[in-house]
Amino acid sequence: MSQRIRAGIWGVGSAVPERVLTNHDLEKMVETSDEWISTRTGIKERRISEPGEKTSDYAAAAARRALERAGVHPEELDLIIVATLTPDMFCPPTACIVQHKIGAVRAGAFDLSAACSGFVYGLDVAARGIEAGAYRRVLVIGADLLSHVTDYTDRSTCVLFGDGAGACVLGPVEEGGVLSTYLGADGSGGPKLTVPAYRSNEAAVNGAASREGTFIRMDGNEVFKFAVRVMPEAALEAVRRAGVAVEDVRLFIPHQANIRIIDAAAKRLGISGDRVFSNVHKYGNTSAASIPIALDEAVEQGRISPGDLVVLVGFGGGLTWAASVLQWTGERVPRA
Ligand code: UT7
């Protein structure tokens, strides 16, 4: 009888721009204050890419780090998934641009659009494909340059968003790995968070498109209520599917949108603060990139060890949500 194939994360990487935009910088741009932003969101600063930089630049940088830690050569990859709502352009897909940049000549490549939940959606597709025996090495990237769709005259949104990318290489593992995933969507809530038209960075650079209709618009209060409800629900469903208990979870890595949302979700789950990862103060909301960047930092800081149970949970535009329980297997090439 053939043994069930399990999928796990072999390596993680991330990349963020060097330029820091602080709350004090924003005070000079819109009618806001460091005090308001800090108390309402927990964000102190975010990273902003340089003009001309593209999502694929950060996606490829994060991917190279993840590949190194996985001990995988780009030519070994079977599939590349890039979750993003800010692709370099509509066509070619950003995943194909990344494929070329990193030299993953054997890999299929496609973009996945599920807003801030996109990375966990991608993780689900990758894990299922590996478990089915269809793929052996899959690269999943969450990458977004939200500064490209942010209206820096709108104080209700511009204080929230930042740029970055995170990536994971998945492959078969003997035990543990991705124990469960749970994906959800409610299209009726779509109008609560929209980017009606997308001005790709290419067009932005060439001045080929007007800015009208190309910004994130959001009903912040409604999205807040949705997030506080759906994050614990999604996490609990993933935990149930994994057949584990919330008490046994070592680290809860939620989408980094607002510290109040994270705290409220953790409280509803009964998870103490020391078991919740947050770096929202440094990066703001980086959409699909936020969970893999957080996972990378959690590994870097030694917050998870092999055997630990980790919950990833995201929510966002769509509306969408997604959660996964991992039993951490450790990276293939241990960090120095
Ligand atoms: O990835 C998913 C994406 N989205 C989210 O996760 C966002 C979810 N929502 C939120 O995080 C919160 O709703 C916000 C941070 C966006 C807003 O916080 P809030 O506590 O819900 O504030 P509010 O929208 O109820 O606004 C309160 C007040 C308003 O003034 P009035 O009407 O009470 O006089 C706003 O005009 O704060 C005002 N305000 C600001 N003041 C200073 C809104 N933005 C700002 C600002 N600086 N940047």
Side-chain angles (χ1 to χ4, degrees), residues 61-77:
R64 287 190 190 99
R65 285 173 196 157
L67 284 162
E68 231 170 75
R69 288 161 183 162
V72 169
H73 292 288
E75 318 86 65
E76 295 177 80
L77 288 173

Side-chain angles (χ1 to χ4, degrees), residues 32 36 40 116 155 159 218 220-221 255 257-258 260 285 315:
T32 191
W36 191 95
R40 300 286 179 132
C116 307
R155 71 175 183 173
V159 301
M218 181 174 67
N221 287 303
H255 171 46
N258 183 324
R260 287 161 54 217
N285 180 346
F315 67 91

